[in-house]
Amino acid sequence: MAQDPIHQFHISQLVPIEIGGLDFSFTNSSLFMVATAAVAGGFLYMTTANRGLVPGRMQSVSEMSYEFVANMLRDGAGSQGMRFFPLVFSLFMFVLVANLIGMFPYFFTVTSHIIVTFMLAMLVIGTVVVYGFMKHGLGFLKLFVPQGVPGVLMPLVIAIEVISFLSRPISLSVRLFANMLAGHITLKVFAGFVTSLGALGALGVGGAILPLIMTVALTGLEFLVAFLQAYVFAVLTCMYLNDALHPGH
Amino acid sequence: MSNGPPRDDSENTEPDRDIFDDRELQARRDRLASNLAKLRKRSKSEEEGGSTSARSGWGLAVKVSSEFIAGITVGAILGFGFDSYFGTSPWGLIVLLMLGFAAGVLNVLRAVGKVAEPPKL
């Protein structure tokens, strides 16, 4: 059990709640989602509560995260995109903090479950669709009609474009989920080699150094991936929001 | 300077200093603005360049494969739904799976930047 690499993703009920035959239990996943929101919100609040014109160390971290997301959004969706800043910033902070919290030993990684990342992706795509139709009406459908395509090919191209659009939430969620899942499993497998080799006696302990080095290196890589995936998620959100703002290619 | 508080000093004894301060302040502000503009431009170009160079091979692999699989998955789901709704099995699945394949290829080509994206506004 201790070396089962999948065991870390096990969902356990903490407070069983059942409403109308449906399971609404407060699980360890819910607990870590609450913790993620609390840590992200608490950090931003605490660091900007006693803010000064010249930022302190922690305040400048908050300001850097703001600047980072704001620049990303301006580059990806133009200055009009800034109206979506609260959404993009919340998503970025949630994914980033959830990934980083998952790096603690014995902690649960919220983003390693596809349903969580899929709902985040659906939130983005839902915003794109609703805002696109609200702002442009049926003109939003121009998104699916590339320019300069011969009329005969039009139905085929439109069908492909529609499927391509529908595949966005899936690829967005699968990418984040697969990265976190695969990374944590790899880490656990290599760490498992250390203990199983160590149980083999003196030679095994000597050999266990190799997977130990690998585990240390992978831990560093995982921190990079944790940040990179939050960044990628936010960048793609900006790109999709750009489609909602300017659908006519 | 030595006895009075610093506020008195600037207000009464040296009126010239005020003008000097203003001019100085303006010059500093201009310098700061031009520095900021330079920094902004640089950070923008850094981010554009960084997005490709910072991406590791593993990240690229997951990115491209997720794009491709997502296209096929959506095609398969749509085809299966179409068939079970209209009872045209297996034709909906066949056609939409192929369209999904095409969409997956399109996604991959877009992801690696082989399809010319429309200019961003």
Side-chain angles (χ1 to χ4, degrees), chain A residues 62-82 84-85 88-89 92 231 234-239 242, chain B residues 36-48 51 120-121:
Chain A
S62 295
E63 288 178 0
M64 266 164 60
S65 57
Y66 170 88
E67 278 291 317
F68 184 67
V69 178
N71 281 337
M72 196 194 306
L73 192 53
R74 273 195 213 103
D75 288 350
S79 52
Q80 275 179 302
M82 282 306 279
F84 291 112
F85 180 78
V88 179
F89 189 68
F92 176 75
Y231 171 70
V235 163
L236 286 173
T237 304
C238 295
M239 270 177 53
N242 184 46
Chain B
L36 268 177
K38 241 181 265 164
L39 268 177
R40 285 227 172 94
K41 218 176 280 166
R42 202 170 63 194
S43 74
K44 211 171 265 181
S45 59
E46 257 172 17
E47 225 157 70
E48 278 162 10
S51 67
K120 269 170 193 156
L121 298 177

Side-chain angles (χ1 to χ4, degrees), chain A residues 45-144:
Chain A
Y45 179 76
M46 303 274 253
T47 51
T48 53
N50 300 316
R51 60 185 174 277
L53 187 60
V54 179
R57 202 172 295 157
M58 285 295 135
Q59 189 191 336
S60 70
V61 172
S62 295
E63 288 178 0
M64 266 164 60
S65 57
Y66 170 88
E67 278 291 317
F68 184 67
V69 178
N71 281 337
M72 196 194 306
L73 192 53
R74 273 195 213 103
D75 288 350
S79 52
Q80 275 179 302
M82 282 306 279
R83 72 186 62 186
F84 291 112
F85 180 78
L87 173 74
V88 179
F89 189 68
S90 315
L91 277 173
F92 176 75
M93 287 308 278
F94 183 83
V95 174
L96 179 64
V97 174
N99 289 349
L100 290 179
I101 282 185
M103 287 307 296
F104 284 95
Y106 294 102
F107 276 29
F108 183 84
T109 318
V110 175
T111 43
S112 65
H113 278 252
I114 191 158
I115 188 66
V116 175
T117 59
F118 187 67
M119 283 321 292
L120 292 177
M122 282 310 284
L123 181 69
V124 172
I125 297 296
T127 311
V128 168
V129 171
V130 169
Y131 184 79
F133 276 116
M134 238 173 61
K135 179 128 184 276
H136 303 282
L138 289 178
F140 180 61
L141 294 176
K142 267 192 290 186
L143 180 66
F144 302 121

Side-chain angles (χ1 to χ4, degrees), chain B residues 32-78:
Chain B
L32 195 64
S34 72
N35 277 351
L36 268 177
K38 241 181 265 164
L39 268 177
R40 285 227 172 94
K41 218 176 280 166
R42 202 170 63 194
S43 74
K44 211 171 265 181
S45 59
E46 257 172 17
E47 225 157 70
E48 278 162 10
S51 67
T52 48
S53 62
R55 199 180 291 145
S56 57
W58 162 252
L60 189 66
V62 174
K63 178 183 160 152
V64 168
S65 59
S66 73
E67 293 280 4
F68 188 58
I69 292 168
I72 295 175
T73 311
V74 168
I77 292 171
L78 282 183

